[in-house]
Amino acid sequence: GIYHGSLLWALDKTVTAMGGRALRRWLLQPLLGVSGIQARQDTVEELVTNGSLRQQLQQLLKQIYDLERLAGRAGSGTANGRDLVAMADSFGKLPDLAALMGHATSPYLVKLQFVPPELDELGRVLRSHLVENPPLYLTEGSLIRDGVNAKLDKLRDQVSEDQQWIANLETTERERTGISNLKVGYTKAFGYYISISRSKSDQAPTDYTRKQTLTNEERYITSELKECEARLFNLNEEIHTLEYDIFIKLRDQVAEHVALIRQVAATVSAADVLAALAEVAVYQGYCRPEIVEGRPIFIEDGRHPVVEQSLPAGFFVPNDSGLGNIDPTKSAVTPDLIILTGPNASGKSCYLRQVGLIQLMAQVGSFVPAKSAMLGVCDRIFTRVGAVDDLATGQSTFMVEMNETANILNHATPKSLVLLDEIGRGTATFDGLSIAWAVAEYL
């Protein structure tokens, strides 16, 4: 789909489902405050410089289930036994995470040092109540461990007593009747029965009631067997209801902590995203951009994060960019506007987008594909990239382009980054040039 070849594709080294969703959210909602960006950068940096910490973190994260989704299910009352066990297992990993982060200093990792005691306790309750591998359905029993509920244990004891009696019935009846090939069987339709071969059916005792005749056997029941069967049936019903009630109480207990679980999920998924960004930074050779007030864009040897990954290593030719404020190193004034010209397929669009992507990545808190970078915080990134004409609704490429350009001119502020890829196409040379000129002067 669209995912391949996108910025998300280039950066997504997350190991949990909730981390993947968080990365997507972060890219859609970049930060506007320098301190927020730096807090994320500090964490990426710690995970870049401490490779074994990053790898151990990712190993642990892989063992944590999708707490965000699980919390939602528990809160809406749709969680089943497996969901709650997955949740308990995940809570069990939180102390390990906290221990791993014992010496961490960056904000997002320090948050992992604290394990909410309520969740620790909740995990213990769930593990002690629920069997290791609960069935999918909640109404068929086998959910709750022995020793959790005295009434449940008593009912289960009665069931095994009755089952034992039925298991011994064959032996006792053979001895009583002297019929050696007497068998006790069970079918869904009839329930339990005693079968005697046709040849010996005249030896059947008087307390046997004939129930079914087959080619070579007669099937009987006794009042005792019927009673035992009915009792078993009722006991099992009672057990299933009781187990279901216990389970619902557990699920309600989880539901009370949904807000806290979501909070933990957010902390864990943020760590996942930052570990992913650190991994990309290490393998692709990214640098930590310096984020400053004001509006400079200084990029030394910048690369396009997606195109670079689609090419063999070392094939992408890097480029510098200088926009905005005075460059302190060269004491030269850099322009506020670059007009980039060149033949087709010479890399103009790629260069343009690379600047936009580097700015966006920096405001997500990521490291960027460059040797060094100094960037301000911009409020919006506007792009206008060569349009496809929308003739179906009666719009030419020119019309589409003018609408988009008007939108940019009306909404850009002094803190915006504007990337215009081709302007004034589909017109006579002078008309196009005058439009481009006017737009450039206005900006």
Side-chain angles (χ1 to χ4, degrees):
I2 309 240
Y3 173 70
H4 185 87
S6 64
L7 181 61
L8 184 59
W9 165 81
L11 299 179
D12 192 356
K13 300 280 180 278
T14 55
V15 295
T16 67
M18 48 184 179
R21 289 196 300 273
L23 173 59
R24 196 190 181 100
R25 277 198 302 272
W26 285 19
L27 286 173
L28 291 171
Q29 301 164 353
L31 302 175
L32 297 173
V34 176
S35 59
I37 295 170
Q38 283 169 347
R40 286 183 185 175
Q41 287 183 332
D42 289 343
T43 302
V44 174
E45 184 162 332
E46 183 163 8
L47 292 168
V48 163
T49 42
N50 191 338
S52 78
L53 179 67
R54 182 178 79 249
Q55 282 161 348
Q56 287 173 280
L57 168 62
Q58 287 182 317
Q59 280 313 111
L60 262 177
L61 291 173
K62 279 178 190 161
Q63 302 166 38
I64 293 179
Y65 292 92
D66 194 339
L67 283 175
E68 208 177 2
R69 288 256 160 99
L70 292 172
R73 280 191 211 146
S76 63
T78 53
N80 62 22
R82 292 177 191 189
D83 292 336
L84 295 198
V85 169
M87 209 171 236
D89 289 346
S90 304
F91 295 158
K93 297 284 175 257
L94 296 179
D96 302 346
L97 266 180
L100 179 63
M101 292 306 159
H103 299 298
T105 54
S106 57
Y108 282 85
L109 299 183
V110 169
K111 270 191 196 163
L112 290 171
Q113 292 170 0
F114 171 70
V115 181
E118 305 93 313
L119 295 192
D120 219 25
E121 178 53 30
L122 183 59
R124 264 200 294 280
V125 169
L126 292 174
R127 269 194 300 277
S128 63
H129 280 64
L130 294 165
V131 296
E132 199 89 9
N133 294 309
L136 266 176
Y137 302 103
L138 299 178
T139 49
E140 298 178 3
S142 339
L143 281 168
I144 309 296
R145 292 179 187 265
D146 289 334
V148 166
N149 177 298
K151 186 180 173 195
L152 182 60
D153 291 348
K154 196 170 160 221
L155 291 171
R156 284 180 176 167
D157 289 344
Q158 286 173 299
V159 165
S160 40
E161 259 174 54
D162 282 342
Q163 282 172 334
Q164 198 48 52
W165 182 80
I166 289 175
N168 296 338
L169 186 62
E170 202 168 285
T171 323
T172 49
E173 286 303 290
R174 278 181 185 178
E175 282 171 8
R176 186 171 80 95
T177 58
I179 302 171
S180 55
N181 59 5
L182 173 146
K183 286 192 178 61
V184 173
Y186 176 82
T187 66
K188 266 228 155 80
F190 279 111
Y192 290 99
Y193 59 83
I194 298 168
S195 84
I196 300 177
S197 63
R198 290 288 288 276
S199 55
K200 307 236 176 133
S201 58
D202 51 344
Q203 298 178 33
T206 46
D207 58 346
Y208 280 18
T209 312
R210 180 179 294 136
K211 193 76 185 156
Q212 192 186 19
T213 304
L214 283 90
T215 353
N216 42 14
E217 58 173 338
E218 295 276 357
R219 292 178 173 178
Y220 301 91
I221 51 164
T222 67
S223 53
E224 244 184 322
L225 186 55
K226 264 292 159 232
E227 271 166 36
C228 181
E229 188 182 12
R231 196 164 55 238
L232 265 177
F233 180 79
N234 293 334
L235 284 170
N236 277 320
E237 287 286 284
E238 214 176 324
I239 286 174
H240 294 172
T241 310
L242 182 55
E243 286 199 48
Y244 182 74
D245 292 346
I246 296 173
F247 178 83
I248 296 303
K249 282 202 184 74
L250 284 176
R251 190 164 69 190
D252 292 345
Q253 225 174 318
V254 173
E256 285 167 26
H257 294 89
V258 163
L260 186 56
I261 297 168
R262 285 220 166 95
Q263 207 177 313
V264 167
T267 308
V268 169
S269 42
D272 188 14
V273 174
L274 293 162
L277 293 177
E279 186 168 318
V280 179
V282 168
Y283 288 109
Q284 297 294 328
Y286 289 2
C287 75
R288 174 174 178 160
E290 188 189 342
I291 305 291
V292 293
E293 297 295 345
R295 27 175 270 166
I297 293 182
F298 294 124
I299 300 166
E300 187 189 355
D301 282 349
R303 295 151 0 233
H304 189 300
V306 185
V307 176
E308 173 182 52
Q309 282 194 41
S310 316
L311 292 172
F315 264 64
F316 192 96
V317 179
N319 290 284
D320 296 353
S321 311
L323 273 166
N325 290 4
I326 295 163
D327 180 344
T329 54
K330 302 199 182 82
S331 73
V333 179
T334 47
D336 268 343
L337 175 80
I338 290 175
I339 297 174
L340 186 61
T341 61
N344 293 341
S346 59
K348 298 187 298 295
S349 297
C350 182
Y351 177 75
L352 212 64
R353 291 169 198 209
Q354 149 191 329
V355 172
L357 289 175
I358 287 176
Q359 181 72 48
L360 172 65
M361 286 167 71
Q363 284 185 238
V364 169
S366 170
F367 282 19
V368 298
K371 198 160 152 192
S372 71
M374 182 206 238
L375 302 165
V377 174
C378 63
D379 56 1
R380 291 175 78 168
I381 300 174
F382 290 99
T383 58
R384 220 223 62 67
V385 176
V388 186
D389 54 13
D390 189 0
L391 291 177
T393 57
Q395 294 206 55
S396 64
T397 40
F398 179 68
M399 194 62 208
V400 173
E401 186 184 298
M402 287 303 102
N403 280 334
E404 292 184 350
T405 307
N407 176 48
I408 294 172
L409 296 178
N410 285 319
H411 293 101
T413 74
K415 298 205 73 156
S416 305
L417 171 60
V418 181
L419 307 164
L420 294 170
D421 189 349
E422 303 195 326
I423 196 157
R425 299 172 317 149
T427 61
T429 310
F430 279 109
D431 303 353
L433 203 54
S434 1
I435 292 171
W437 192 309
V439 168
E441 267 189 22
Y442 180 84
L443 286 173

